[in-house]
Amino acid sequence: ARAFKDSGIPRDELYICGTVLSNRVNGEEAAYKKTAQGCLENMQAFSAGNIDKLDMIMLDYPGPNDESVRGQWKAFEEMKTNKLVDDLAVSNFSPAQLDAILVNPDATKPTVNQLPFSVAFHPRDILDYNSKRGVHVQSWSPLSRVLGRYGTELASIGKKYGKTAAQVGLRWIVQSGASFCTQSKSKIHFEEDLNVFDFDLTSEEMKRISQLAA
């Protein structure tokens, strides 16, 4: 938050997301209180950068049962009602855990479900069950176990596009219908990870990549 304040970058040029970890408490009321506390702590931390509203807040993990998940979501709904955040998101939610929220027709639908999804790990149903519920899949750790296992094949495909193995692996995620989050201590690597929107893999290349971990 302080880095944002010192950067001079206009607020509307950034999409700022907070996270809450409240999955170890059991029961709707306990989960609500723990999640509400996490929301408050987010806003207190971001206030150091004069940030008084977030673009998105994400549950890192679901609670241990449906009641706990509904308690977590109640706290998120209140944060949105209070105009402290625009979008609500989840991470590592199964179909049943999403349905614990969506069983309420008036519930705010999660914008994103952040999941392990990559060239190395892509169960067939992972995109389908989220899409059917109107939830977008975002990959966390999108290159985990990818380059060491499949780097040679990905680099071979990327050669004709002037792209690295990492860029091909990330482009595969995008063309599969998901997105990804990435981080790096290196500005060069970070820019490389984002430079994947100026080429398209062929359908045959997509198929070859999908079969690498089959």
Side-chain angles (χ1 to χ4, degrees):
R2 292 189 181 92
F4 160 72
K5 183 179 179 180
D6 295 340
S7 71
I9 298 173
R11 173 65 180 89
D12 60 6
E13 291 185 11
L14 295 175
Y15 189 87
I16 298 177
C17 178
T19 62
V20 174
L21 185 63
S22 61
N23 61 306
R24 294 189 177 182
V25 293
N26 193 359
E28 183 170 350
E29 186 61 21
Y32 163 74
K33 289 180 178 178
K34 182 67 174 177
T35 307
Q37 177 187 348
C39 293
L40 177 61
E41 290 171 354
N42 266 266
M43 298 313 299
Q44 289 173 336
F46 281 112
S47 69
N50 294 333
I51 299 167
D52 57 9
K53 184 179 182 180
L54 305 182
D55 296 294
M56 186 164 74
I57 190 82
M58 178 176 288
L59 276 174
D60 271 353
Y61 289 93
N65 50 50
D66 288 359
E67 291 74 19
S68 301
V69 169
R70 283 192 278 270
Q72 291 176 303
W73 206 245
K74 178 183 176 182
F76 268 28
E77 294 268 23
E78 286 188 359
M79 193 174 180
K80 183 175 176 65
T81 297
N82 292 331
K83 302 188 184 304
L84 297 174
V85 67
D86 287 327
D87 297 326
L88 309 180
V90 297
S91 183
N92 303 297
F93 269 55
S94 70
Q97 290 159 340
L98 287 174
D99 288 343
I101 295 171
L102 299 176
V103 69
N104 176 3
D106 296 323
T108 300
K109 187 177 296 184
T111 300
V112 165
N113 188 8
Q114 201 175 81
L115 294 162
F117 179 76
S118 68
V119 171
F121 181 79
H122 48 276
R124 288 184 178 181
D125 68 339
I126 197 168
L127 293 174
D128 289 342
Y129 81 70
N130 283 279
S131 178
K132 287 177 181 177
R133 292 162 175 80
V135 180
H136 176 75
V137 171
Q138 184 178 80
S139 169
W140 56 258
S141 196
L143 297 175
S144 176
R145 302 187 303 278
V146 171
L147 300 182
R149 295 180 182 180
Y150 312 115
T152 300
E153 180 73 15
L154 296 176
S156 175
I157 292 172
K159 190 173 182 180
K160 75 175 184 179
Y161 301 108
K163 298 296 181 179
T164 65
Q167 288 172 317
V168 172
L170 295 174
R171 181 65 198 176
W172 176 88
I173 291 173
V174 172
Q175 284 187 225
S176 294
S179 60
F180 61 86
C181 61
T182 185
Q183 59 182 354
S184 175
K185 294 181 180 179
S186 164
K187 181 181 179 181
I188 292 174
H189 287 164
F190 190 70
E191 290 175 343
E192 177 185 313
D193 287 350
L194 297 179
N195 187 22
V196 297
F197 298 100
D198 59 351
F199 75 107
D200 290 297
L201 297 167
T202 67
S203 57
E204 180 59 31
E205 288 165 342
M206 288 292 292
K207 183 178 180 180
R208 281 172 58 191
I209 294 169
S210 297
Q211 292 175 340
L212 290 175

